[in-house]
Amino acid sequence: MRVEKCYFCSAPVYPGHGTVFVRNDSKQFRFCTAKCNKMFKKKKNPRKIKWTKAYRKAHGKELTCDASLEFEKRRNEPVKYDRKLMQDTVKAVKKISAIRQKREAHHILSRLAVSKEVQKRADLWEVDTNLKIVQAPAVQDERLKAVVKQKLNEFKEKKKLDQQQKRIKVGRGKVEIQQSEDELSEDEQMVTASEEMVVN
Amino acid sequence: MAKRKGHRGGKGKGAKKKNSCGVKTPAHYLKTKFETKVLHMDQIHENFKPENVAALVADPSLDDNLPGAGQNYCLHCDRHMINREALTSHLKSKKHKQQVKKLKDAPFTQKEAEAAAGLGTYVRPKDLDKVPEFESVRGADKRIPVEQAME
């Protein structure tokens, strides 16, 4: 009695569920549902079908390389029943799966955290430009506006730094790119100068 | 599913058939279009191995049940052509080129599915840089030309 993995989507296939297709070359293909079976017959590549585990791992959506993943393995050698071993295994399984779930969750949250920064910047810009729609300029809090502007500038500076870092990485040893970097910085100076003029 | 003859009104002249009886829907043709190709992608990759290439392309045995006696076989598409000209025109066709492009993907295995499920580290297998072509090793058409057979 074993819980298999579906060939197509990597879902668990419990006893009494799914189908097995045995091909002429004696290879077995287990499917959790008819959905996966039909995809297989249509010769779809699981790595390209968005909802399969293979896609998620291949595209870095989920944790792929971790020590906590090395514990679960297909072990083909049966072990003589030992009560103590069984108890210890069950304890270990619970602990390891708890750790693994935490790590997987962390991986996903850190992946999604990037969008939070983008959203934050967008929200700050929204407040900065469109506050006058909601509040009359006379009523607006100057300190709040200053804080919003300062935070926006922080984002801008950070982006500039990141871009410079990228250019340095690409342009090591190439003189042309360094020259263009100077030109761009001149443009940026012009932009910031014009901004200052507008503000004044 | 055929209606029972009682509901049909008998088997003879009284029998009424459903309008769509005997008509194959487009879904049926789509299904058979994809399923008539017998080999899966990983089986085709298996056929790229030298021993299988020898048996299929380099030195195939004459088999009268196959089109072209099995002498003009496209390894990528798993298709037998009727003669060498048909094969050469097939190799230039869009369908063949699309199939070659599809074969660039590394074959998917049960092991990879299990790794994706969480049994160990998942490493995405590398796609092939270049799909091998077999025209350089293809053997000549072994069938006796018609002129010779007439003699």
Short mmCIF file of all heavy atoms in Angstrom, two decimals, chain A residues 116-129 152 155:
data_model
loop_
_atom_site.label_atom_id
_atom_site.label_comp_id
_atom_site.label_asym_id
_atom_site.label_seq_id
_atom_site.Cartn_x
_atom_site.Cartn_y
_atom_site.Cartn_z
N LYS A 116 4.90 44.03 -3.03
CA LYS A 116 4.46 44.93 -1.94
C LYS A 116 5.19 46.26 -2.05
O LYS A 116 4.61 47.32 -1.86
CB LYS A 116 4.74 44.29 -0.58
CG LYS A 116 3.73 43.26 -0.22
CD LYS A 116 3.77 42.90 1.25
CE LYS A 116 2.75 41.81 1.54
NZ LYS A 116 3.13 41.00 2.68
N GLU A 117 6.50 46.19 -2.37
CA GLU A 117 7.28 47.42 -2.52
C GLU A 117 6.74 48.26 -3.67
O GLU A 117 6.61 49.48 -3.57
CB GLU A 117 8.75 47.07 -2.77
CG GLU A 117 9.46 46.49 -1.57
CD GLU A 117 9.64 47.51 -0.46
OE1 GLU A 117 10.25 48.55 -0.70
OE2 GLU A 117 9.14 47.23 0.64
N VAL A 118 6.45 47.55 -4.77
CA VAL A 118 5.92 48.24 -5.96
C VAL A 118 4.59 48.90 -5.62
O VAL A 118 4.33 50.07 -5.98
CB VAL A 118 5.75 47.24 -7.12
CG1 VAL A 118 5.08 47.90 -8.30
CG2 VAL A 118 7.09 46.67 -7.53
N GLN A 119 3.75 48.15 -4.90
CA GLN A 119 2.43 48.67 -4.52
C GLN A 119 2.57 49.88 -3.61
O GLN A 119 1.86 50.87 -3.75
CB GLN A 119 1.64 47.56 -3.81
CG GLN A 119 0.18 47.86 -3.59
CD GLN A 119 -0.58 48.03 -4.89
OE1 GLN A 119 -0.46 47.22 -5.79
NE2 GLN A 119 -1.35 49.08 -4.99
N LYS A 120 3.52 49.79 -2.68
CA LYS A 120 3.75 50.89 -1.73
C LYS A 120 4.12 52.16 -2.49
O LYS A 120 3.60 53.26 -2.21
CB LYS A 120 4.88 50.50 -0.79
CG LYS A 120 4.85 51.17 0.56
CD LYS A 120 5.95 50.60 1.43
CE LYS A 120 5.94 51.26 2.78
NZ LYS A 120 7.05 50.76 3.62
N ARG A 121 5.04 52.01 -3.43
CA ARG A 121 5.47 53.19 -4.22
C ARG A 121 4.30 53.78 -4.99
O ARG A 121 4.12 54.98 -5.07
CB ARG A 121 6.60 52.79 -5.16
CG ARG A 121 7.19 54.01 -5.85
CD ARG A 121 8.38 53.70 -6.68
NE ARG A 121 8.85 54.93 -7.31
CZ ARG A 121 9.86 55.00 -8.15
NH1 ARG A 121 10.53 53.90 -8.45
NH2 ARG A 121 10.23 56.14 -8.69
N ALA A 122 3.50 52.87 -5.59
CA ALA A 122 2.32 53.32 -6.35
C ALA A 122 1.35 54.07 -5.45
O ALA A 122 0.80 55.10 -5.82
CB ALA A 122 1.63 52.12 -6.99
N ASP A 123 1.15 53.56 -4.24
CA ASP A 123 0.23 54.22 -3.29
C ASP A 123 0.75 55.60 -2.91
O ASP A 123 -0.01 56.57 -2.83
CB ASP A 123 0.06 53.35 -2.04
CG ASP A 123 -0.72 52.07 -2.33
OD1 ASP A 123 -1.39 52.03 -3.38
OD2 ASP A 123 -0.64 51.14 -1.52
N LEU A 124 2.06 55.70 -2.66
CA LEU A 124 2.64 56.99 -2.29
C LEU A 124 2.47 58.00 -3.42
O LEU A 124 2.13 59.16 -3.18
CB LEU A 124 4.13 56.82 -1.96
CG LEU A 124 4.47 56.20 -0.61
CD1 LEU A 124 5.92 55.80 -0.57
CD2 LEU A 124 4.16 57.16 0.52
N TRP A 125 2.70 57.54 -4.65
CA TRP A 125 2.54 58.41 -5.82
C TRP A 125 1.09 58.88 -5.92
O TRP A 125 0.83 60.05 -6.22
CB TRP A 125 2.97 57.64 -7.07
CG TRP A 125 2.89 58.45 -8.31
CD1 TRP A 125 3.85 59.26 -8.84
CD2 TRP A 125 1.76 58.55 -9.18
NE1 TRP A 125 3.41 59.84 -9.98
CE2 TRP A 125 2.12 59.42 -10.22
CE3 TRP A 125 0.48 57.98 -9.19
CZ2 TRP A 125 1.26 59.74 -11.26
CZ3 TRP A 125 -0.38 58.29 -10.22
CH2 TRP A 125 0.01 59.18 -11.24
N GLU A 126 0.18 57.94 -5.65
CA GLU A 126 -1.26 58.25 -5.70
C GLU A 126 -1.59 59.39 -4.73
O GLU A 126 -2.28 60.35 -5.08
CB GLU A 126 -2.05 56.98 -5.34
CG GLU A 126 -3.56 57.13 -5.36
CD GLU A 126 -4.12 57.03 -6.77
OE1 GLU A 126 -3.66 56.16 -7.51
OE2 GLU A 126 -5.01 57.83 -7.11
N VAL A 127 -1.09 59.25 -3.51
CA VAL A 127 -1.34 60.29 -2.50
C VAL A 127 -0.72 61.61 -2.93
O VAL A 127 -1.33 62.68 -2.84
CB VAL A 127 -0.79 59.84 -1.13
CG1 VAL A 127 -0.81 60.98 -0.13
CG2 VAL A 127 -1.59 58.67 -0.58
N ASP A 128 0.49 61.50 -3.44
CA ASP A 128 1.23 62.70 -3.80
C ASP A 128 0.52 63.51 -4.88
O ASP A 128 0.40 64.73 -4.79
CB ASP A 128 2.64 62.28 -4.26
CG ASP A 128 3.57 63.45 -4.37
OD1 ASP A 128 3.51 64.33 -3.48
OD2 ASP A 128 4.37 63.51 -5.32
N THR A 129 0.05 62.82 -5.92
CA THR A 129 -0.51 63.53 -7.06
C THR A 129 -1.99 63.82 -6.92
O THR A 129 -2.46 64.84 -7.38
CB THR A 129 -0.32 62.73 -8.36
OG1 THR A 129 -0.72 61.39 -8.12
CG2 THR A 129 1.12 62.75 -8.84
N LEU A 152 8.99 58.94 -1.36
CA LEU A 152 9.06 58.76 -2.82
C LEU A 152 10.48 58.94 -3.32
O LEU A 152 10.97 58.18 -4.17
CB LEU A 152 8.13 59.75 -3.52
CG LEU A 152 6.71 59.28 -3.78
CD1 LEU A 152 5.90 60.41 -4.37
CD2 LEU A 152 6.68 58.09 -4.73
N PHE A 155 12.59 55.94 -2.73
CA PHE A 155 12.36 54.92 -3.76
C PHE A 155 13.14 55.25 -5.03
O PHE A 155 13.75 54.39 -5.66
CB PHE A 155 10.87 54.81 -4.10
CG PHE A 155 10.13 53.84 -3.21
CD1 PHE A 155 9.17 54.28 -2.31
CD2 PHE A 155 10.39 52.48 -3.28
CE1 PHE A 155 8.50 53.39 -1.50
CE2 PHE A 155 9.71 51.59 -2.47
CZ PHE A 155 8.76 52.04 -1.57
#
